[in-house]
Each structure stands twice: as C-alpha cells, then as structure tokens.
Amino acid sequence: MSKSKRLIELMMTVNRMRKFTVRELADQFGVSPRTILRDLQELSELGVPLYSEVGPHGGYQVLKERILPPIAFSEEEAVAMFFASHALRHYLFLPFEAESSTALQKFYYYMPGDVRDRIDQMKNRVDFHTHTRQQKAEYLEILLDAAVEQRVVTIEYETIDGCAERRIQPVGVYASNGFWYCAAYCFLRDGFRLFRCDRMQSAAYDTTGIKPRDHRHIHLGNWREYGEELSASIRMVVDLSREGVQRCESELWPVPHIDIQPDGSGRLDQSVPAGEMMYFAKFFIGLGNEATVREPREMVDRMKEILTEMLAKYD
C-alpha cells in the first residue's frame, strides 16, 4: 500500500475508532510501530486533533472536534458548495458562524487557480439576498445543540411587559426575513411556542432538574401540529392582489396555503393560532391595498384601532 493511500485510510480509521494504540494500528496496517508513529505525526501536522495518554491503559485519542477524511469534489460541486456557504454572509449571527467562515476559506484557498478565478468572476453576478438585521441573536448554538440533544434551556425573554424567565425545550431554529426564530416547548405555557432569538437576553442549560420531554419525533416540519389546540385557533380569510400573494409567499413562514387565480391574485383561507392575531394584523396593514382581511372580525377591528392610533399621531 502506498504511503498516501495508507495516510488516507489511517485518517478514516482513527476517526472511526476514536481511541487506539500504536500496536493496534501497526497490526491492522501491517507496518512497524515506528512507521505508524511517523504517520500519526503527519496526520497531526495535517490538522487531525490527536492526543496521547501514558500508562497501562494509555494510547491515542481523537478529540471531539474531528476532521473529515479527504473528499473529492468535482469543479461544479466545489463551486456550488462555495456559494452555498457564501450566501450565509448576510447573516450577522449564525449557529456555526466561525465554522462557516473557515469552511469558506478552505474551499476558496485550496481550489486550483483557474477555479478561484471563475469564482471571483461569479461573486458579483450571483447572490442569495436576505435582509440584514442589526438585532443580536447570540444563543443560536446552544439552542440548536439543545434541540439535537433534547435538553432544557433557561432563557430570559423580552416581552412587551419586560423580561421574563422561561424554561424551554427547543425543537429547532430557522431564519426568516433576516430574523432568527426558535420553535420550542414552553414549560410555563405547557405547549409549543415560537420565540424570536434576538429577544433572548440570556440562554443557558437548565439546572433546576426539569426532565426533558421525548420530542425526538417533533421537528421544524411538524411542530405546529403539536402546538395550539383547535379551540385556540382562528380562521383567517384574506383576499390578496398579485403582489400581495408574492409578499405572503416570500415573507410568511411557514408559507401559507393560497388559492391563486389565473391573474395571480389569490385568497388565503386557513386556521392560525389565536395568539398570533396581532402579528397578522400588523403584517396585513403593512401590505396596504394589496390585502383585504375578510375574517376574523376581531382582526379587522384591531386593524382599525391600529390605523386610528396611527392617524392620531399625525393629526
């Protein structure tokens, strides 16, 4: 076996084994322990995070932050991966901010010169635009980890009445219109709620002993089905112009079901959580003449109150 092939297979092996001895690797690869020691030194220089332990039960271990073995990308695949990461630059906060930056640098600097030239020519000709928000979302990583590991998080959450402590079990995080949101089970409300991540003043793993619920079957694609009870929902009917349809499809998440007419206009007719009525009232006011709310009457009345308050400001 050639040295280069042995190094690649050795990298894959130590990633898989996590803990091993030089003798075990030497026997597996059919080489001397001295050769394995040299190979491990080269892997360490390449960035594989190894450390050794002495004693009768010693050996080598791979740190938690493992690296993947070499993966061969075609030129088109490499360019696609570069721009997928490049698109994230519009977000000031990411759950893997540092990692996405280093991954982008690796994709760029380790590409052949002609591929880098091609990327340079494409940078100003293709983009994935999203709103750039100044609001901080500093706790995305712990929220995402808690969602994966099924753990409870204590947060200080800003509301119109001030900050309140909540204990939540995150389902996941997602970005929409430049804002980050966390869908989570709220132990205070005994149900699923949606939280704006920029309104979290602090977030830490809970230490009070609350037992996490088994929510492994719940994810961002279905969490609303386990949320508000039907009795706490309202039917919302809105007539939309062509532009109103486009705004709803691009700005609302999840994307609402809209019956679209041949001319591009449409009607939104669906049940939404009653607790989100104020959000939708303000949203459809923002659409102006591109939307006409038909139901519920309570939303129409609240929109009138908001508009009256706005007119009074400029009277």
Side-chain angles (χ1 to χ4, degrees):
M1 181 187 299
S2 66
K3 180 180 178 180
S4 59
K5 184 177 181 181
R6 187 176 69 247
L7 285 174
I8 292 175
E9 292 195 8
L10 183 60
M11 183 185 296
M12 298 173 67
T13 299
V14 299
N15 267 297
R16 183 176 64 252
M17 295 178 66
R18 299 305 302 274
K19 187 173 183 178
F20 48 87
T21 66
V22 171
R23 172 55 62 184
E24 288 173 340
L25 295 179
D27 293 342
Q28 182 172 340
F29 285 88
V31 296
S32 68
R34 181 173 294 183
T35 298
I36 288 295
L37 283 172
R38 287 198 299 265
D39 290 347
L40 291 176
Q41 179 64 32
E42 289 195 38
L43 290 185
S44 180
E45 293 173 356
L46 289 172
V48 177
L50 300 171
Y51 75 97
S52 60
E53 294 179 337
V54 298
H57 302 291
Y60 281 84
Q61 282 193 355
V62 182
L63 296 175
K64 182 180 179 181
E65 295 79 10
R66 295 178 295 175
I67 66 172
L68 297 177
I71 301 174
F73 289 100
S74 69
E75 178 180 326
E76 296 300 322
E77 289 172 336
V79 171
M81 292 290 287
F82 175 88
F83 278 101
S85 182
H86 183 63
L88 299 176
R89 74 191 189 284
H90 292 297
Y91 287 95
L92 298 181
F93 295 89
L94 293 168
F96 29 74
E97 186 171 1
E99 292 80 2
S100 64
S101 177
T102 55
L104 192 64
Q105 292 175 5
K106 287 180 181 179
F107 263 106
Y108 184 81
Y109 289 109
Y110 286 96
M111 287 178 182
D114 60 326
V115 179
R116 290 202 303 269
D117 291 341
R118 183 183 175 197
I119 287 177
D120 290 339
Q121 293 297 321
M122 295 174 65
K123 277 184 180 178
N124 296 324
R125 301 182 185 277
V126 60
D127 201 359
F128 305 86
H129 183 70
T130 186
H131 296 290
T132 300
R133 306 291 187 181
Q134 298 302 316
Q135 289 84 351
K136 295 183 178 180
E138 301 178 274
Y139 306 105
L140 297 176
E141 186 171 349
I142 188 174
L143 296 172
L144 181 57
D145 287 343
V148 173
E149 298 173 7
Q150 299 286 291
R151 297 181 65 178
V152 179
V153 175
T154 299
I155 64 172
E156 285 288 332
Y157 194 67
E158 181 183 352
T159 67
I160 58 175
D161 299 319
C163 283
E165 186 176 86
R166 299 282 188 94
R167 289 177 177 82
I168 63 173
Q169 183 173 333
V171 172
V173 295
Y174 70 88
S176 178
N177 288 319
F179 291 110
W180 281 96
Y181 297 86
C182 176
Y185 180 85
C186 177
F187 287 89
L188 176 66
R189 303 301 184 192
D190 192 23
F192 290 93
R193 296 293 187 272
L194 188 62
F195 297 89
R196 274 263 299 270
C197 296
D198 58 286
R199 293 177 181 169
M200 295 181 185
Q201 303 303 307
S202 66
Y205 287 121
D206 181 67
T207 58
T208 63
I210 292 181
K211 185 178 180 180
R213 300 198 172 200
D214 185 4
H215 289 162
R216 287 173 292 179
H217 60 292
I218 301 175
H219 48 76
L220 289 180
N222 65 6
W223 73 272
R224 290 178 182 272
E225 299 173 13
Y226 298 89
E228 304 281 349
E229 297 295 332
L230 185 61
S231 59
S233 298
I234 55 174
R235 183 188 178 205
M236 187 170 66
V237 181
V238 186
D239 289 331
L240 300 164
S241 69
R242 180 187 181 91
E243 182 179 340
V245 169
Q246 295 172 350
R247 291 277 302 276
C248 286
E249 289 182 332
S250 64
E251 298 178 28
L252 289 179
W253 196 94
V255 178
H257 174 72
I258 302 174
D259 291 323
I260 301 178
Q261 303 302 313
D263 64 354
S265 64
R267 166 167 283 204
L268 187 157
D269 187 346
Q270 69 181 65
S271 294
V272 297
E276 296 184 8
M277 185 172 67
M278 179 61 72
Y279 164 77
F280 284 108
K282 293 180 178 179
F283 175 79
F284 288 118
I285 285 177
L287 293 189
N289 291 328
E290 310 303 331
T292 303
V293 177
R294 303 297 183 186
E295 297 183 35
R297 190 66 215 176
E298 298 94 324
M299 185 183 295
V300 175
D301 292 339
R302 186 64 188 117
M303 292 172 69
K304 288 182 178 180
E305 292 174 4
I306 295 172
L307 290 170
T308 300
E309 293 170 0
M310 291 176 62
L311 287 172
K313 288 177 63 176
Y314 300 100
D315 188 1

